[in-house]
Amino acid sequence: MSLRSMRSRTPRTSAFLLVLAPLLFAPAPARSAPFGPGDAAPASDGSGALEINTGRARLITLPRPMTDLFVADDSIADVQVRSPTQLYIFGKKPGETTVSATARGGAVVYAATVRIGNNLDSIGRMLKLAMPEAQIVATPMNGLILLTGTIASPDDAAEAERLVQAYVGKDTRIISRLKTATPLQVNLQVRIAEVNRSFVKQIGVNLLNRDSNSSGFVFGIASGRNPGSITNVTNAAGAVTGTQYTFNPGAQRTTLGLGGRVLGMDLLSAIDLGETLGQVSTLANPNLTALSGETATFLAGGEIPIPLASGFGAVSVEYKQYGVSLSYTPTVLSDGRISLRVRPEVSQLSSLGAVTISGTSIPALTTRRAETTLELGSGQSMMIGGLLANSRDNSIEKTPWLGDLPLIGSLFRSNAFKRNETELVIIITPYLVKPVNSPSDIALPTDGMRSPNDAERVLLGRMGSGDAKPRAVPTLAPPVQGRPMAAGVATGLPAASTPSNRRTMPTPGFSE
């Protein structure tokens, strides 16, 4: 009897279907009936669930006759009874339901969870053909498909999800819980570059005047710092024979002095001229590797003690870190992109802003810090912070009223000009990396270095001898077409160990 004719004779079951089996009917020995054109072999997920494609059926042979049959939802799966020991389960629409059959005494003859979906029996074969290196299991659950297993790279997860979605249709939801076969590790390179330029120009005019006459009245003017002294020159008899002018050098680079008698007055003038040019360059390149989802920190510097006053006159010490520090948390996404929470910092001791407490001098810290969250691909770079500052300061010191006079007023005023320019850039570059197979593939700064002998040290003035190997740096391979792989995975292998005909996506490696 065919399935179509059986469905026309037997009513559709919605709650309980009572099947009256003849008492004199002797059940035939259980035989495994061959699958017909409409039968589909179940794909069990290991929990005893029965998986059937939509529009197909499965013939179930029971170990003994049944008397009652229960279907939880007949809109998902329809059950047709062929005989007391055989029944058909027909998939109607994607979903999950329960089928149970019991004997006359109430004993359970058959019980199963039936999962209906589109192309369930061939999803695994399709994934095996498309991605032979991956171990993926597709499990239907209540109208959706759960993907579990292990893959080689994050790109494989997106590729498997895309293939399954195209195979089962857009109406079925795909949930991916695939994990990579090896832990994903992210190497972060941070470049911090700063240039600070300063320009200071000072012109100081200092004036000393003395007017003395026979009446004994002395008149004088002094402006600015003490430029020197004006003294009388006497002979052995004590008579004044002349005037001596003595100049005091100023704090600036150059001091010009002028002394003489003008209009019956002794005049001494000193002009201080100074110009200062300064340039400071700071470059830091911290490099740190961390596991996806974990936080890594890096510090190259030190700690300075800071005394703190506590109760009853006691003094406690707190340490403040300074130097080059880096803290970041990477998260590798399913498409191979990297989400980063990064916090680089460069600080150094400075005498500007230092304080003195109880005779103890505490230096100040000059800090450059940035903290942000962003998303990048492996090998991509982005500037996360920058600063361009330009400050100018012009000050004039003068004598009231006299310094405002034309021409002669320049003798009673001094001026100073300051200009500071600062430019700061912070750039980060993340890489998906894996360990190298041999320690010799990575060069150290001390490789090939040795201490000089006496002749090299004394005669040639060498501090060291030997040539170090080139440092290992991440590089990008040329883009080629091929199977999706993790973008930016560092090979870490010599070039000779990689087949020449193997094609990979752009991946940073370690150059020799």
Side-chain angles (χ1 to χ4, degrees):
M1 184 179 297
S2 64
L3 174 61
R4 185 177 300 276
S5 62
M6 191 66 194
R7 293 185 61 187
S8 62
R9 296 184 183 184
T10 306
R12 182 174 300 174
T13 60
S14 59
F16 287 95
L17 178 63
L18 181 61
V19 179
L20 300 178
L23 298 178
L24 298 179
F25 178 78
R31 295 179 301 174
S32 59
F35 295 108
D39 298 335
S44 176
D45 60 355
S47 61
L50 185 64
E51 298 178 359
I52 304 177
N53 288 337
T54 304
R56 305 182 71 176
R58 174 75 171 109
L59 176 62
I60 304 299
T61 302
L62 307 180
R64 53 181 173 170
M66 63 179 175
T67 58
D68 297 306
L69 182 63
F70 173 75
V71 182
D73 190 352
D74 60 348
S75 64
I76 296 178
D78 193 8
V79 180
Q80 304 295 335
V81 178
R82 181 178 182 182
S83 69
T85 57
Q86 289 184 334
L87 56 89
Y88 278 104
I89 301 179
F90 176 75
K92 300 176 66 177
K93 69 176 184 180
E96 185 174 320
T97 186
T98 302
V99 176
S100 301
T102 58
R104 179 180 296 276
V108 178
V109 178
Y110 179 77
T113 298
V114 181
R115 295 170 181 169
I116 308 300
N118 299 327
N119 302 320
L120 294 181
D121 57 341
S122 54
I123 293 179
R125 293 195 296 268
M126 181 269 297
L127 292 175
K128 190 65 176 178
L129 292 174
M131 309 173 68
E133 298 180 359
Q135 302 294 330
I136 303 176
V137 177
T139 304
M141 289 185 174
N142 197 19
L144 54 88
I145 294 180
L146 176 65
L147 300 181
T148 58
T150 58
I151 53 178
S153 65
D155 282 351
D156 290 347
E159 181 69 12
E161 186 175 349
R162 185 185 65 83
L163 291 174
V164 174
Q165 189 72 69
Y167 200 70
V168 301
K170 62 180 181 179
D171 296 333
T172 304
R173 183 182 176 187
I174 308 298
I175 298 180
S176 177
R177 289 297 180 265
L178 298 173
K179 298 182 179 180
T180 55
T182 58
L184 295 176
Q185 299 175 105
V186 179
N187 176 267
L188 180 64
Q189 293 187 1
V190 181
R191 290 174 291 171
I192 303 175
E194 179 188 22
V195 177
N196 193 337
R197 294 179 291 268
S198 62
F199 173 77
V200 180
K201 179 182 290 185
Q202 294 181 353
I203 300 177
V205 178
N206 311 285
L207 181 66
L208 179 64
N209 170 267
R210 188 189 69 170
D211 183 16
S212 61
N213 48 44
S214 59
S215 63
F217 179 77
V218 179
F219 172 78
I221 297 177
S223 176
R225 68 172 181 85
N226 182 14
S229 61
I230 302 176
T231 58
N232 294 328
V233 179
T234 61
N235 55 17
V240 177
T241 60
T243 304
Q244 181 179 359
Y245 303 91
T246 303
F247 296 96
N248 295 332
Q252 303 302 318
R253 178 71 179 180
T254 304
T255 299
L256 300 179
L258 177 64
R261 191 169 182 83
V262 180
L263 301 177
M265 296 181 296
D266 294 325
L267 183 66
L268 177 65
S269 177
I271 301 177
D272 299 329
L273 302 176
E275 182 175 326
T276 304
L277 299 177
Q279 178 171 328
V280 178
S281 300
T282 302
L283 178 62
N285 190 3
N287 192 320
L288 189 60
T289 302
L291 193 66
S292 175
E294 300 294 332
T295 300
T297 59
F298 171 86
L299 174 64
E303 297 181 350
I304 58 173
I306 300 177
L308 300 177
S310 58
F312 304 102
V315 178
S316 60
V317 178
E318 180 180 350
Y319 289 88
K320 176 68 175 179
Q321 294 182 350
Y322 71 95
V324 179
S325 65
L326 173 63
S327 176
Y328 80 105
T329 303
T331 302
V332 181
L333 306 179
S334 59
D335 57 352
R337 296 184 65 81
I338 305 172
S339 176
L340 289 171
R341 179 70 178 178
V342 60
R343 186 179 184 271
E345 177 180 335
V346 175
S347 59
Q348 60 188 12
L349 301 179
S350 174
S351 59
L352 298 178
V355 297
T356 303
I357 301 177
S358 300
T360 303
S361 179
I362 303 176
L365 292 177
T366 302
T367 306
R368 303 90 167 167
R369 180 189 303 121
E371 184 173 358
T372 183
T373 301
L374 68 164
E375 181 179 324
L376 294 174
S378 179
Q380 294 181 339
S381 300
M382 179 175 290
M383 185 181 70
I384 65 171
L387 171 65
L388 182 60
N390 191 340
S391 62
R392 298 186 180 184
D393 183 12
N394 192 4
S395 61
I396 297 178
E397 297 181 357
K398 63 181 180 179
T399 303
W401 301 301
L402 295 178
D404 297 331
L405 296 177
L407 299 179
I408 195 174
S410 59
L411 299 176
F412 299 93
R413 64 173 178 262
S414 302
N415 63 75
F417 176 76
K418 299 179 181 179
R419 182 180 65 195
N420 291 314
E421 297 178 353
T422 301
E423 186 173 358
L424 173 67
V425 176
I426 302 177
I427 300 176
I428 66 170
T429 306
Y431 293 95
L432 284 174
V433 297
K434 66 179 181 180
V436 296
N437 294 335
S438 175
S440 60
D441 294 337
I442 299 179
L444 299 178
T446 56
D447 290 346
M449 301 297 296
R450 65 178 181 87
S451 299
N453 53 35
D454 293 341
E456 293 174 339
R457 185 178 66 256
V458 175
L459 300 180
L460 302 180
R462 292 183 179 179
M463 302 295 295
S465 59
D467 297 329
K469 298 180 181 179
R471 297 296 307 278
V473 295
T475 57
L476 288 178
V480 293
Q481 298 296 328
R483 190 183 65 83
M485 296 184 64
V489 178
T491 60
L493 296 176
S497 62
T498 304
S500 59
N501 57 354
R502 183 177 179 179
R503 294 184 175 183
T504 59
M505 294 295 289
T507 58
F510 286 99
S511 62
E512 294 298 333

